[in-house]
């Protein structure tokens, strides 16, 4: 079982759809993150959760709604997205010291 | 304002030779630097890191050098192998929060695509 698992790996959705990305970590970490990777751009931090509490929202539009029910699970709820939101969404986890992130394989999102 | 920059989008190297990947940063508060490697269809994986109190860290074929005065770091891979072909991301963090911990707020560069030819 890999350390950080993301589902689905690929998602195609219309602008009016509502979908969710799921992340699960089996590393016993207490911090979880959502990053976005667009083509030819650096990874951009979206959200940080420590012990289920959101500690960082990096000016992310409200059409992205994170949820962290416990330290092992993280969701990203998507609604009324735009085509420019098409990207690779990466989940990561870490200890609270947070200097080394363990990434999942990513969810490739395409918004039509 | 991009605080971490990898100015070379790609690098091509012959197997057995040295690969040198470069990274520049602008934020003088950064005190911890990491390199991640990413294969297609996989998430980034941690490769090597260096704290600002050091200027070199070595792990097998991988060595990271830090020049604080120039705000520059580099990753050397020697000897390069075809399996090293991947995208390499430089990342940096600054101490925030209680006790100076950084809580994983990494700032990433754009990445450099390394291709090692047999």
């Amino acid at each position: 079982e890999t350390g950080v698992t993301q589902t689905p790996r690929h998602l195609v959705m219309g602008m009016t759809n509502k979908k969710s990305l799921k992340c699960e970590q089996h590393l016993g970490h207490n911090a979880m993150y959502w990053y976005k990777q667009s083509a030819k751009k650096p990874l951009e931090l979206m959200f940080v959760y420590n012990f289920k509490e959101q500690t960082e929202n990096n000016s992310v539009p409200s059409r992205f709604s994170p949820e962290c029910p416990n330290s092992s699970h993280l969701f990203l709820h998507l609604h009324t997205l735009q085509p420019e939101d098409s990207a690779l969404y990466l989940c990561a986890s870490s200890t609270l010291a947070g200097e080394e992130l363990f990434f999942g394989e990513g969810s490739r999102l395409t918004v039509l | 304002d991009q605080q971490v920059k990898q100015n070379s989008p790609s690098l091509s190297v012959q197997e057995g030779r040295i690969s040198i990947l470069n990274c520049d940063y602008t934020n003088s508060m950064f005190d911890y630097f990491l390199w991640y490697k990413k294969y297609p269809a996989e998430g980034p994986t941690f490769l090597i890191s260096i704290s600002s109190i050091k200027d070199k860290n070595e792990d097998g074929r991988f060595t990271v050098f830090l020049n604080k005065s120039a705000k520059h770091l580099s990753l050397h891979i020697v000897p390069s192998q075809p399996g090293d072909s991947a995208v390499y991301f430089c990342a940096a963090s600054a101490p925030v929060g209680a006790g100076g911990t950084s809580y994983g707020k990494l700032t990433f560069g754009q990445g450099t695509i390394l291709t090692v030819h047999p």
Side-chain angles (χ1 to χ4, degrees):
Chain A
E1 202 170 48
T2 56
V4 181
T5 305
Q6 289 186 241
T7 55
R9 295 292 309 277
H10 299 273
L11 178 63
V12 179
M13 59 187 288
M15 289 192 285
T16 58
N17 292 156
K18 288 186 181 181
K19 297 285 184 184
S20 296
L21 306 180
K22 178 183 175 182
C23 177
E24 184 175 358
Q25 59 96 0
H26 308 277
L27 300 169
H29 291 159
N30 290 310
M32 296 187 77
Y33 314 81
W34 280 115
Y35 276 84
K36 174 184 178 182
Q37 187 187 11
S38 304
K40 298 181 182 177
K41 285 187 168 182
L43 278 74
E44 301 171 59
L45 178 65
M46 299 176 73
F47 301 103
V48 181
Y49 278 82
N50 292 308
F51 285 116
K52 305 186 301 177
E53 298 299 319
Q54 188 182 121
T55 56
E56 182 86 14
N57 177 338
N58 204 22
S59 302
V60 181
S62 59
R63 58 186 184 269
F64 295 91
S65 174
E67 178 190 359
C68 189
N70 55 61
S71 294
S72 299
H73 293 86
L74 184 64
F75 296 88
L76 188 63
H77 303 300
L78 316 168
H79 61 99
T80 59
L81 293 192
Q82 306 297 313
E84 58 264 29
D85 295 322
S86 298
L88 180 69
Y89 289 85
L90 289 158
C91 173
S93 71
S94 73
T95 62
L96 279 186
E99 282 161 342
E100 181 186 336
L101 300 181
F102 292 79
F103 285 89
E105 294 176 317
S107 294
R108 173 71 62 186
L109 173 67
T110 303
V111 182
L112 301 176
Chain B
D1 175 33
Q2 202 170 327
Q3 298 184 58
V4 178
K5 293 182 184 178
Q6 294 174 254
N7 291 316
S8 297
S10 63
L11 175 67
S12 183
V13 171
Q14 202 69 30
E15 181 178 7
R17 307 294 286 268
I18 185 170
S19 295
I20 300 176
L21 298 112
N22 294 303
C23 179
D24 297 293
Y25 62 95
T26 57
N27 188 343
S28 57
M29 296 300 291
F30 287 148
D31 67 346
Y32 193 72
F33 304 88
L34 308 90
W35 284 94
Y36 280 81
K37 174 178 172 179
K38 184 180 183 301
Y39 292 118
E42 294 184 13
T45 54
F46 170 75
L47 192 57
I48 193 169
S49 63
I50 188 166
S51 165
S52 60
I53 62 173
K54 301 174 79 172
D55 54 19
K56 176 182 173 181
N57 188 26
E58 193 171 351
D59 183 4
R61 297 184 298 113
F62 302 91
T63 303
V64 56
F65 295 91
L66 176 63
N67 182 335
K68 290 188 289 292
S69 59
K71 294 192 177 67
H72 177 84
L73 66 156
S74 60
L75 174 68
H76 292 211
I77 306 173
V78 114
S80 301
Q81 299 173 354
D84 295 328
S85 298
V87 181
Y88 288 79
F89 292 98
C90 167
S93 72
V96 294
T101 52
S102 61
Y103 297 109
K105 288 183 62 173
L106 298 181
T107 301
F108 284 85
Q110 314 95 302
T112 297
I113 302 169
L114 173 65
T115 305
V116 180
H117 299 283

